[in-house]
Amino acid sequence: MRLPSSIFVSVSLFTAETTAALYLSSTYRSAGDQIWQGLTLLFTLVPSVLVQLTLTFIHRDLSRDRPLILLLHILQLGPIVRCLEAFCIYGSVGRVEEPYVSITRKKQMPRRGQSEEVERQVGQAEGKLFTHRAAFARTSVIQAFLGSAPQLTLQLYICVLQQGVSIGRGTLMVISMLSIVYGALRCNILAIKIKYDDYEVDVRPMAYLCIFLWRSFEIATRVVVLVLFSSVLQLWVLPVVLLNFLIFFLYPWILFWQSHSPFPENIEKTLTRVGTTIVLCLLTFLYAGINMFCWSAVQVKLNDPDLINKSQNWYRMAVYYMLRFVENASLLLLWYIYKTDFYKFICAPLLVLQLLVAYAIGIFFMLVFYQFCHPCRRLFSSSMTQGLWNCSSLLCLMCTSSSPQRRPMGKSVLEPPSPNIHKDSVNNEAQDTGSDSTEDMPNDTTFDMINETICETPNEISSNIGGGGGGGGGEGGVNGDISQSVSCNPKSITNV
């Protein structure tokens, strides 16, 4: 049985950040900065309350007679007590004989196209430790993106305004950054274990390193961009943040309404319909908070029994990173245009270039992780590079189809018409005359007009590119989620 080290790290970061935030808020109070004191306490107490509620909900303490535990959660000491309880359970393993065990079946990673199923016995103590680990994995994500990320942004903004970093503020910023990256790492591991629950997942150290570097560059760049933009355009930062937040908050609900699925009732038996709605709103609230700063590895799907989208959608990831890169570049451009003399000691073009390169480095480590270090990459229906290549091809096709078609003015237009073309036109006129008597029957003239507006003939394509290939058919898919079919063969068009 593994040592519950992840629980210890989560509780250590939670305790250290709360202590540093309380100390810093006292210094703001001494200096008379009541606004900074209030915001610092807000970004400390709100996630702390949500962490207590999450631990209580997962362990079902409300339905059990444990008044002391509930009291400690009200005093915001729940994570410390749960950590001590987890280590007590770990220390008691092997000393007391288990009254009963459960048998679990997990598949191993396929080798040479074959996957074996392995049975193992899970004792009662190990099952309790598993519940503790799952609970703290979720609380780490809540603490990271609903507390540490806003806290880091706020303290960095104060540093920019006051042109200095105090010891207390610097300590809190370092702890907050570590908490965010650790929460993002736990979110990635949690997504892998949820999506591949039937398999034994073994995450290697190189995978942890790639995730750590990927999330560090991505989140640090995003926070700096938001701080720089808010320092010169204070009135516009709120619409930008709210727009981002509302888009990601409403996106899972829009997909749920489009699916016409029934309202999920199997989240918790003791919850009413109102309670279920509150839990789902909190889940989408957390999802929006994660996507505000980085890509959420856990994709919410409200019409799924597990509320999680278990398919690997490369298309959605590619669109997110392209739009986020464009947004960061736009915010940096606005900062560069409206920057004041306050930044005269900073080489602004070099700073913009460094931030964009840092974000690109984060994307690079993400590609390395999914291509070489992902523990379940053998189960991908398509590789990371192939999926992103298909995504870019699909986006190019969508952009091309949305623009008006331009007729080529080349060799095919300047040459005199051949006798074959004249014969075809005569035949088309004859068929056109015959079709006037029957309105419901399709005619070849309509067919030719559709054919000319949708695709170019092989001769026209060869005249444009100097003898290139003609029309054909293409078919691509992104991990089974996106498929496309493009054909310029006249026989493939069905008349209605």
Side-chain angles (χ1 to χ4, degrees), residues 74-344:
I74 294 174
L75 297 176
Q76 308 301 308
L77 298 176
I80 300 176
V81 176
R82 298 291 185 185
C83 180
L84 294 176
E85 183 180 357
F87 274 91
C88 290
I89 294 173
Y90 177 78
S92 64
V93 173
R95 297 181 180 179
V96 181
E97 185 179 357
E98 297 284 352
Y100 63 90
V101 295
S102 58
I103 298 177
T104 61
R105 294 180 176 87
K106 294 284 186 179
K107 297 179 182 178
Q108 291 183 341
M109 286 297 136
R111 295 179 179 179
R112 298 178 181 178
Q114 297 180 353
S115 179
E116 297 181 356
E117 193 173 51
V118 179
E119 292 184 357
R120 59 186 300 264
Q121 295 180 351
V122 178
Q124 193 174 8
E126 189 173 356
K128 291 180 179 180
L129 273 181
F130 177 81
T131 304
H132 279 286
R133 287 195 180 96
F136 276 100
R138 288 155 176 81
T139 57
S140 297
V141 178
I142 294 173
Q143 175 68 25
F145 293 101
L146 298 184
S148 302
Q151 189 76 268
L152 176 62
T153 307
L154 172 66
Q155 302 306 325
L156 184 59
Y157 178 74
I158 298 174
C159 291
V160 171
L161 291 184
Q162 297 183 356
Q163 300 184 7
V165 182
S166 63
I167 297 177
R169 192 182 301 125
T171 303
L172 179 58
M173 290 169 59
V174 171
I175 297 174
S176 298
M177 185 63 195
L178 291 175
S179 176
I180 301 169
V181 175
Y182 180 75
L185 188 147
R186 297 307 306 172
C187 184
N188 275 91
I189 303 302
L190 185 64
I192 293 173
K193 291 185 177 180
I194 292 176
K195 292 178 182 178
Y196 305 99
D197 185 52
D198 296 335
Y199 291 87
E200 277 190 351
V201 179
D202 183 20
V203 184
R204 297 184 178 181
M206 189 58 65
Y208 282 109
L209 179 61
C210 284
I211 297 174
F212 182 84
L213 294 175
W214 161 27
R215 295 306 194 180
S216 298
F217 281 101
E218 181 182 7
I219 295 170
T221 304
R222 179 63 175 170
V223 171
V224 174
V225 168
L226 290 176
V227 170
L228 291 177
F229 178 75
S230 61
S231 65
V232 295
L233 295 172
Q234 291 88 350
L235 297 178
W236 286 97
V237 67
L238 188 60
V240 171
V241 172
L242 287 179
L243 181 62
N244 273 271
F245 196 86
L246 287 176
I247 288 175
F248 290 108
F249 179 80
L250 296 176
Y251 180 69
W253 291 102
I254 293 173
L255 295 181
F256 175 68
W257 290 327
Q258 289 180 347
S259 65
H260 302 288
S261 301
F263 190 80
E265 302 285 353
N266 56 346
I267 297 178
E268 181 66 31
K269 295 180 180 179
T270 59
L271 289 178
T272 61
R273 194 177 185 88
V274 177
T276 303
T277 305
I278 294 175
V279 171
L280 294 179
C281 288
L282 291 176
L283 179 62
T284 51
F285 186 84
L286 175 61
Y287 176 74
I290 297 173
N291 282 281
M292 175 68 67
F293 294 93
C294 66
W295 165 257
S296 176
V298 177
Q299 294 295 305
V300 177
K301 189 177 182 181
L302 299 180
N303 58 345
D304 189 89
D306 296 329
L307 304 178
I308 300 298
N309 188 0
K310 297 183 179 180
S311 61
Q312 191 67 49
N313 197 326
W314 304 122
Y315 172 75
R316 187 180 299 178
M317 179 183 289
V319 171
Y320 174 86
Y321 276 102
M322 284 189 292
L323 293 179
R324 186 64 78 196
F325 186 86
V326 172
E327 184 194 6
N328 288 340
S330 302
L331 295 180
L332 288 174
L333 179 62
L334 291 174
W335 168 78
Y336 182 78
I337 294 173
Y338 293 100
K339 64 182 176 63
T340 59
D341 295 335
F342 178 78
Y343 296 99
K344 61 182 179 181

Side-chain angles (χ1 to χ4, degrees), residues 398-408 452-454 456:
M398 293 171 61
C399 296
T400 305
S401 61
S402 62
S403 62
Q405 296 289 335
R406 296 181 179 180
R407 299 294 298 162
E452 288 177 357
T453 56
I454 292 180
E456 297 175 344

Side-chain angles (χ1 to χ4, degrees), residues 352-368:
V352 172
L353 180 62
Q354 287 176 343
L355 290 174
L356 295 179
V357 170
Y359 196 79
I361 292 175
I363 297 176
F364 169 76
F365 281 112
M366 178 198 70
L367 297 176
V368 172

